[in-house]
């Protein structure tokens, strides 16, 4: 079978047509009437956030508690199939991290604490902006935003999809989460399953395109700020094209030879750069502030998790915590599908821990170290960090940070390489997931399917960067997160139903009657009838 015939044979016409059609429609609307379209999307986003921001906070905290129970409870012993894990744990973690919010950590790591330092979150309104007391609070909030909750959507969908694929024979599709309700054999023909997969494609495009737009803009802004290289529109297209070629090649090499190896390299570079920043920065101050900040996270975790600030119309919470929960939630189906793809042979506990605990163990030190170093440079006057950020945007912060530290030129090169490779690994894993979604769950889609989605993602990222409308897709991601949150609740209910069938009830006895009259109380006792033991 030739490549074209293989593509025609494998593609799911409905999911592919609607998914690709929506992506192309978005690109056309951006190009034809960007201001009108962005205005409409922003208005819809405001409507969703004004009415459902509380829901995002409650749902994500609930997902975190559920995953915590899977880690410590008996359900965590269940495994995905009977085979041994396909990859080493380090490679498995590296691929999971790179597919998740690695691009976001590179973008926000040098930035978020600085912004909280310049404008203290209203939960700590008694602390003066840009003061010494604002430093640990700023670092605390940035660490909190990238701790556990950020990753729970990815992990939940990964467990839901993986369990039904490897234990119930469901296809490798997001809609496999419906298995406990409609059965694995009905997934391929169910209209509900098709709707779920189309929504997953649309949400993935919005969330991933936002990330690629952020990270691409970070690379291009850095070239201009640091080395005075203004590429213009043509140069921007060429750079995005070059990055697209890189992640397309990685994608075509497959998971083992392409995505795995590049993800391993990413994580090594990530840790080297993080440790180097700790050493060349104000080491003792970073360690002291980090301990102080983590004390605040532990003490105020639930307060920060549910803080909205209704007295000020929730503006701060909508821009920060609610957005940071909605953005990854929107593209959780894609990352969950990729997690399921690489999790064969692992236990539910292992996946739940890796997706939350291990991710936090990698991300939080990065935000503690870079956040403290940046705020220290700003507060002591050794570098004007906030000036360029306010003038050029958040994407310039990493370049300002490393330019002000010892060995800055060397570290800056490493930072730029990290930005590019995180872009590539995020794009190739998402392209693979989109190809799997639109081919009915094929584990190794054809080259044409992979290249198509890689090129389309690159095109969306290029358009967003060229017209400067990455925030519009950010708004779209916040909107699509609402139905994905509902799917997450469906996943929790389905997993609970399935796990109970193997372990039974964990809190109540099987004979417990929740409502109505129990069979025992409904019957008369011997004493009620006047009977005695002698009778």
């Amino acid at each position: 079978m030739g490549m074209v015939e293989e593509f025609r044979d494998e593609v799911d016409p409905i999911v592919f047509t609607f998914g690709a059609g929506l992506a192309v429609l978005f690109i056309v609307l951006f190009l034809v009437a960007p201001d009108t379209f962005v205005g409409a999307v922003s208005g819809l986003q405001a409507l969703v956030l004004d009415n459902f921001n509380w829901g995002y906070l409650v749902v994500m905290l609930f997902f975190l508690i559920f995953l915590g129970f899977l880690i410590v409870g008996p359900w965590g012993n269940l495994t995905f199939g009977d085979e041994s894990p396909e990859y080493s744990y380090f490679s498995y973690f590296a691929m999971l991290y790179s597919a998740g919010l690695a691009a976001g950590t590179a973008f926000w790591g040098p930035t978020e604490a600085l912004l909280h330092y310049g404008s203290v979150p209203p939960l700590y309104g008694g602390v003066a902006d840009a003061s010494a007391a604002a430093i640990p609070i700023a670092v605390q909030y940035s660490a909190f935003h990238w701790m556990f909750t950020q990753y729970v959507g990815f992990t939940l969908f990964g467990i839901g999809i993986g369990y039904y694929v490897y234990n119930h024979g469901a296809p490798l599709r997001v809609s496999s989460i419906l298995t406990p309700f409609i059965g694995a054999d009905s997934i391929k023909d169910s209209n509900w399953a098709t709707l779920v997969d189309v929504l997953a494609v649309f949400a993935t495009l919005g969330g991933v395109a936002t990330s690629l737009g952020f990270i691409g803009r970070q690379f291009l802004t850095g070239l201009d700020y640091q080395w005075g290289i203004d590429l213009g529109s043509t140069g921007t297209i060429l750079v995005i094209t070059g990055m697209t070629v890189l992640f397309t090649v990685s994608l075509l090499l497959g998971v083992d030879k392409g995505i795995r190896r590049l993800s391993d390299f990413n994580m090594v570079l990530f840790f080297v750069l993080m440790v180097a920043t700790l050493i060349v920065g104000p080491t003792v101050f970073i360690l002291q502030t980090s301990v102080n900040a983590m004390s605040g996270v532990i003490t105020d975790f639930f307060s920060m998790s549910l803080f909205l600030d209704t007295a000020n119309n929730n503006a701060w919470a909508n821009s920060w915590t609610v957005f940071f929960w909605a953005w990854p939630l929107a593209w959780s189906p894609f990352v969950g599908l990729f997690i399921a793809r690489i999790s064969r042979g692992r236990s539910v506990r292992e996946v739940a821990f890796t997706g939350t605990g291990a991710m936090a163990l990698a991300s939080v030190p990065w935000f503690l170290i870079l956040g403290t170093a940046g705020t220290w440079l700003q507060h002591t006057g050794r570098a004007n960090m906030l000036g360029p950020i306010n003038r050029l945007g958040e994407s310039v912060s990493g370049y300002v940070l490393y330019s002000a530290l010892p060995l800055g030129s060397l570290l800056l090169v490493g930072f730029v390489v990290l930005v590019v490779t995180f872009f590539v690994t995020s794009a190739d894993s998402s392209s693979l997931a989109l190809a799997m979604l639109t081919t009915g769950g094929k584990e190794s889609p054809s080259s044409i399917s992979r290249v198509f989605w890689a090129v389309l993602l690159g095109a969306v990222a290029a358009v967003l960067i060229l017209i400067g409308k990455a925030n519009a897709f950010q708004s779209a991601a916040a909107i699509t997160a609402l139905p994905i949150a509902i799917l997450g609740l469906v996943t929790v209910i389905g997993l609970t139903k399935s796990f109970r069938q193997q372990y039974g009830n964990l809190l109540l006895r099987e004979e417990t009657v929740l409502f109505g009259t129990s069979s025992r109380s409904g019957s008369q006792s011997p004493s009620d009838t006047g009977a005695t033991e002698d009778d």
Side-chain angles (χ1 to χ4, degrees):
M1 185 181 295
M3 287 192 299
V4 176
E5 288 77 9
E6 182 184 3
F7 171 74
R8 289 177 179 173
D9 182 67
E10 71 181 3
V11 73
D12 184 317
I14 297 178
V15 178
F16 180 86
T17 301
F18 275 92
L22 286 171
V24 173
L25 177 63
F26 263 57
I27 293 176
V28 171
L29 290 174
F30 267 120
L31 293 175
V32 174
D35 293 332
T36 301
F37 182 63
V38 169
V41 172
S42 299
L44 185 57
Q45 179 206 30
L47 179 65
V48 171
L49 293 183
D50 288 343
N51 291 280
F52 298 102
N53 48 14
W54 62 271
Y56 286 130
L57 300 185
V58 172
V59 164
M60 292 295 275
L61 182 59
F62 171 68
F63 290 164
L64 178 61
I65 295 171
F66 178 75
L67 291 172
F69 173 74
L70 293 184
I71 294 173
V72 301
W75 291 348
N77 294 327
L78 295 169
T79 58
F80 291 175
D82 300 323
E83 302 178 27
S84 299
E86 189 174 357
Y87 308 100
S88 69
Y89 186 78
F90 177 78
S91 293
Y92 172 69
F93 166 73
M95 287 190 289
L96 195 154
Y97 192 85
S98 297
L101 287 174
T105 60
F107 185 88
W108 289 105
T111 305
E112 185 177 347
L114 275 166
L115 297 179
H116 295 324
Y117 165 81
S119 179
V120 176
L123 182 61
Y124 301 95
V127 177
D129 295 342
S131 63
I135 295 178
I137 292 173
V139 177
Q140 169 187 328
Y141 240 112
S142 64
F144 162 74
H145 280 152
W146 297 84
M147 201 170 181
F148 303 118
T149 317
Q150 184 82 235
Y151 317 105
V152 296
F154 304 158
T155 311
L156 178 65
F157 278 95
I159 293 173
I161 298 169
Y163 176 74
Y164 294 114
V165 168
Y166 300 120
N167 296 72
H168 291 265
L172 192 59
R173 297 166 56 169
V174 174
S175 54
S176 293
I177 61 173
L178 301 179
T179 297
F181 307 104
I182 64 177
D185 295 334
S186 301
I187 296 293
K188 294 181 179 179
D189 302 318
S190 169
N191 292 331
W192 286 107
T194 300
L195 178 63
V196 168
D197 289 331
V198 170
L199 178 62
V201 172
F202 177 67
T204 296
L205 284 168
V208 173
T210 302
S211 296
L212 298 184
F214 278 152
I215 207 76
R217 190 179 68 195
Q218 185 179 34
F219 177 76
L220 294 168
T221 302
L223 291 180
D224 187 15
Y225 173 81
Q226 190 65 34
W227 295 288
I229 303 174
D230 185 1
L231 296 176
S233 298
T234 302
T236 298
I237 293 175
L238 291 175
V239 168
I240 299 300
T241 300
M243 290 185 177
T244 303
V245 170
L246 285 176
F247 72 72
T248 302
V249 171
S250 171
L251 184 63
L252 292 176
L253 288 173
V255 175
D256 188 57
K257 294 182 179 179
I259 297 175
R260 178 187 64 82
R261 291 179 179 177
L262 193 55
S263 297
D264 287 351
F265 171 78
N266 273 349
M267 293 312 300
V268 172
L269 178 59
F270 178 74
F271 284 115
V272 168
L273 192 61
M274 180 167 56
V275 173
T277 306
L278 174 63
I279 294 173
V280 302
T283 306
V284 175
F285 184 74
I286 289 174
L287 295 175
Q288 292 172 340
T289 303
S290 296
V291 171
N292 196 350
M294 289 308 299
S295 172
V297 171
I298 295 171
T299 303
D300 299 336
F301 183 83
F302 287 98
S303 297
M304 292 188 289
S305 294
L306 299 174
F307 177 73
L308 277 176
D309 190 27
T310 53
N312 295 305
N313 203 30
N314 304 319
W316 185 91
N318 287 347
S319 299
W320 285 103
T321 306
V322 176
F323 164 68
F324 272 143
W325 290 182
W327 174 31
L329 186 59
W331 47 305
S332 289
F334 130 64
V335 184
L337 186 66
F338 183 75
I339 291 173
R341 165 65 178 80
I342 63 176
S343 295
R344 182 191 285 111
R346 298 195 180 274
S347 68
V348 169
R349 176 176 292 108
E350 194 172 10
V351 178
F353 168 75
T354 305
T356 54
M359 294 280 276
L361 289 173
S363 297
V364 169
W366 171 265
F367 280 86
L368 293 174
I369 293 170
L370 270 67
T372 304
T375 52
W376 177 81
L377 289 170
Q378 176 70 35
H379 188 72
T380 58
R382 287 173 169 80
N384 180 15
M385 300 288 295
L386 289 173
I389 292 175
N390 293 331
R391 187 173 71 255
L392 301 174
E394 300 93 340
S395 55
V396 77
S397 59
Y399 300 90
V400 183
L401 171 67
Y402 284 112
S403 296
L405 291 175
L407 302 178
S409 298
L410 179 61
L411 296 178
L412 189 57
V413 171
F415 180 73
V416 172
V417 173
L418 186 68
V419 168
V420 173
T421 54
F422 272 159
F423 180 101
V424 172
T425 51
S426 295
D428 59 13
S429 55
S430 57
S431 299
L432 176 61
L434 286 168
M436 289 190 293
L437 269 172
T438 53
T439 55
K442 189 175 181 181
E443 190 170 305
S444 299
S446 66
S447 298
I448 292 181
S449 292
R450 302 184 194 196
V451 171
F452 174 84
W453 288 109
V455 171
L456 188 58
L457 275 178
V460 171
V463 169
L464 289 176
I465 294 171
L466 284 174
I467 65 176
K469 300 295 184 181
N471 290 337
F473 256 104
Q474 174 180 320
S475 301
I479 296 167
T480 55
L482 184 60
I484 299 302
I486 296 173
L487 289 181
L489 292 172
V490 170
T491 303
V492 171
I493 295 171
L495 287 172
T496 301
K497 178 181 178 182
S498 299
F499 292 164
R500 279 184 57 209
Q501 291 175 352
Q502 292 191 254
Y503 277 91
N505 289 336
L506 296 178
L507 298 177
L508 304 176
R509 297 178 61 199
E510 295 292 335
E511 296 81 2
T512 301
V513 176
L514 292 179
F515 301 101
T517 303
S518 70
S519 58
R520 174 71 176 168
S521 61
S523 61
Q524 290 183 313
S525 65
S527 61
D528 293 333
T529 62
T532 66
E533 186 174 348
D534 293 336
D535 295 334

